């Protein structure tokens, strides 16, 4: 076993999970079948079936920032091969996994010492970008932006067999779903369906394999501490063990997201919160662990190009809805978050509220 319990894993008392977390019964489950029955076209005027889907997505984003989708168009075989790749990789001996360990120069590959809000997570991960090379800003020695961005390339292990092929196949299929969801969200904001697509040319989207081993002290530690995703959208598949908790916006209580076979969990990220000027809120979530069962999940973080400047969309603003955020560079924001996950800091990692205007 790679992880050995130590004080670095212990959450502050106010952030430790309760012995019993209620299972959420009202997290929206949205059937995307009407999209595919109409050849995936989201063009005006929308037929009633698609208007209903858009209305469901709007309500889910506004009330929860979190929802699940079924009949999503990602073939079951593609998902099964990705699961087999994930389980195969984490079954390798620790020394084999460490051959592709990440470092400060390249945040891709295997890692077993990630922090969330400066507390170590009880998990191991493998990260990959969907498109190679991915470009991110580089910093000079004085902390200023360097002229040339860094090129990131994936670190592929030699085994298990078919690992790279399975994950690239899964990433390609999930990206199709990501664009459909992005278009649905644009429609919920009364924008043209493809209004947001241009931000994802030269995208920095990445995918992660999460492995949560059984934990000797699940009352003290978390698989992932409370956080909000920096991405535009996160598309997650989880196994049947369960452990994903979301903070309900209506009352601030943590509720468990029940696994639904052949579904994906979607959560609104920080970028969509800023684009929507707080109409939608990035959902705070965490992962609880247990003493007996290992757990796996595969999140797909849908991210724009490193040079994209993130700010509230002009079309949504007027004298009654002024911009609530200063614009910021996505690549710099992403790298600041990534670096804070890599090593513990004396301060909280960067958040979108740091760019909030005092209107």
């Amino acid at each position: 076993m790679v992880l050995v319990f130590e004080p670095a894993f212990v959450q502050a008392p106010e952030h430790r999970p309760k012995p019993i977390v209620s299972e959420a019964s009202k997290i929206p489950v949205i059937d995307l079948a009407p999209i595919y029955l109409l050849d995936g076209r989201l063009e005006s005027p929308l037929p009633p079936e698609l208007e209903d889907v858009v209305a469901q997505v709007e309500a889910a984003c506004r009330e929860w920032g979190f929802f699940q989708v079924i009949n999503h168009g990602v073939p079951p075989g593609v998902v099964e091969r990705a699961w087999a790749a994930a389980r195969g990789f984490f079954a390798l001996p620790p020394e084999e996994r460490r051959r592709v360990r990440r470092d400060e120069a390249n945040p891709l590959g295997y890692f077993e010492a990630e922090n969330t809000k400066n507390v170590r997570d009880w998990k191991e991960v493998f990260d990959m970008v969907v498109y190679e090379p991915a470009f991110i800003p580089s910093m000079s020695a004085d902390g200023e932006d360097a002229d040339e961005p860094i090129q990131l390339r994936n670190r592929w292990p030699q085994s298990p067999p078919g690992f790279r092929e399975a994950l690239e196949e899964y990433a390609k299929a999930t990206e199709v779903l990501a664009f459909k969801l992005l278009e649905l969200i644009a429609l919920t904001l009364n924008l043209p369906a493809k209004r947001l697509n241009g931000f994802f040319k030269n995208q920095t989207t990445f995918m992660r394999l999460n492995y949560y081993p059984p934990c000797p002290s699940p009352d003290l530690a978390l698989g992932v501490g409370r956080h909000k995703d920096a991405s535009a959208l996160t598309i997650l598949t989880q196994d049947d063990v369960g452990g994903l908790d979301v903070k309900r916006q209506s009352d601030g209580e943590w509720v468990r997201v029940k696994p639904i076979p052949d579904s994906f969990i979607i959560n609104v990220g920080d970028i969509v919160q800023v684009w929507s000027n707080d109409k939608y809120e990035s959902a705070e979530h965490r992962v609880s662990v247990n003493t007996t069962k290992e757990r796996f999940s595969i999140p797909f973080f849908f991210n724009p190009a490193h040079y994209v400047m993130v700010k509230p969309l002009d079309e949504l603003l007027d004298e009654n809805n002024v911009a609530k955020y200063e614009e910021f560079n996505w690549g710099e924001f992403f790298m600041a978050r990534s670096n804070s996950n890599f090593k513990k800091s004396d301060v909280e990692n960067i958040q979108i509220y740091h760019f909030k205007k005092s209107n």
Side-chain angles (χ1 to χ4, degrees):
M1 185 172 177
V2 172
L3 301 183
V4 177
F5 199 83
E6 57 185 42
F9 290 105
V10 177
Q11 294 282 330
E14 64 271 23
H15 299 308
R16 294 172 190 170
K18 295 178 181 178
I20 299 177
V21 178
S22 61
E23 198 167 79
S25 58
K26 295 184 179 179
I27 288 181
V29 179
I30 301 175
D31 188 347
L32 299 184
I35 295 176
Y36 297 99
L37 291 173
L38 295 165
D39 298 324
R41 291 192 299 272
L42 294 172
E43 299 171 356
S44 297
L46 293 175
E49 303 95 321
L50 284 184
E51 286 186 348
D52 183 57
V53 172
V54 171
Q56 290 181 62
V57 171
E58 190 278 337
C61 290
R62 177 170 39 82
E63 296 171 6
W64 281 88
F66 228 85
F67 55 98
Q68 299 192 70
V69 294
I70 57 174
N71 296 318
H72 42 67
V74 180
V78 171
V79 179
E80 290 166 7
R81 285 187 285 277
W83 280 126
R87 292 190 171 96
F89 176 77
F90 290 110
L92 293 173
E95 58 271 19
E96 288 296 314
R97 281 174 269 173
R98 291 193 183 106
R99 290 181 187 274
V100 290
R101 192 177 189 269
R102 68 182 277 190
D103 55 37
E104 289 192 69
N106 184 355
L108 301 177
Y110 169 75
F111 199 52
E112 78 298 335
E114 191 163 81
N115 296 286
T116 301
K117 296 187 182 296
N118 291 317
V119 180
R120 190 169 168 189
D121 295 331
W122 186 264
K123 70 179 180 191
E124 300 174 44
V125 304
F126 178 89
D127 288 341
M128 58 166 280
V129 290
V130 173
Y131 287 99
E132 293 185 275
F135 293 91
I136 57 172
S138 66
M139 298 289 180
S140 61
D142 59 4
E144 297 297 321
D145 289 355
D147 292 333
E148 294 297 323
I150 299 171
Q151 295 187 30
L152 297 183
R153 294 189 181 274
N154 291 321
R155 292 173 165 164
W156 295 111
Q158 294 183 347
S159 59
F163 180 82
R164 175 175 182 171
E165 293 78 9
L167 296 185
E168 288 181 337
E169 176 188 41
Y170 177 88
K172 183 177 180 179
T174 308
E175 184 193 22
V176 174
L177 172 61
F179 274 109
K180 291 302 175 193
L181 292 165
L182 189 72
E183 291 171 14
L184 286 169
I185 287 174
L187 290 170
T188 71
L189 296 170
N190 296 315
L191 300 170
K194 297 187 183 298
R195 167 64 175 88
L196 306 175
N197 291 25
F199 293 121
F200 293 83
K201 181 181 179 182
N202 304 318
Q203 61 185 265
T204 56
T205 297
F206 77 99
M207 200 166 82
R208 165 169 286 185
L209 310 180
N210 282 320
Y211 171 55
Y212 305 97
C215 178
S217 299
D219 57 325
L220 300 177
L222 287 165
V224 184
R226 73 199 192 285
H227 68 287
K228 297 184 176 187
D229 289 350
S231 56
L233 295 173
T234 303
I235 301 175
L236 175 88
T237 181
Q238 64 170 340
D239 64 16
D240 60 0
V241 173
L244 176 63
D245 302 329
V246 59
K247 181 177 278 190
R248 191 163 47 201
Q249 292 182 6
S250 61
D251 59 10
E253 286 296 311
W254 288 102
V255 291
R256 181 68 42 85
V257 181
K258 181 180 179 180
I260 297 176
D262 301 321
S263 71
F264 283 105
I265 297 165
I266 315 299
N267 68 279
V268 168
D270 286 344
I271 294 174
V272 165
Q273 178 169 340
V274 174
W275 279 342
S276 72
N277 206 37
D278 282 352
K279 177 180 180 181
Y280 302 145
E281 183 178 345
S282 181
E284 189 169 22
H285 52 288
R286 69 183 187 190
V287 175
S288 296
V289 288
N290 67 83
T291 58
T292 58
K293 293 182 178 180
E294 60 184 8
R295 178 179 179 268
F296 296 87
S297 68
I298 307 176
F300 177 100
F301 300 99
F302 197 38
N303 297 330
H306 75 90
Y307 50 75
V308 165
M309 301 301 294
V310 180
K311 64 176 183 176
L313 298 169
D314 291 339
E315 300 96 316
L316 305 182
L317 305 178
D318 56 32
E319 64 275 10
N320 297 315
N321 184 32
V322 298
K324 297 178 180 179
Y325 295 90
E326 302 285 353
E327 72 173 7
F328 60 88
N329 175 265
W330 161 248
E332 294 173 5
F333 186 86
F334 171 75
M335 284 306 296
R337 288 282 283 262
S338 179
N339 289 339
S340 68
N341 291 340
F342 186 81
K343 58 184 178 181
K344 192 170 182 177
S345 170
D346 293 332
V347 297
E348 183 184 18
N349 60 1
I350 194 167
Q351 305 290 334
I352 56 173
Y353 70 72
H354 291 126
F355 300 93
K356 202 84 181 262
K357 291 183 174 182
S358 54
N359 292 331

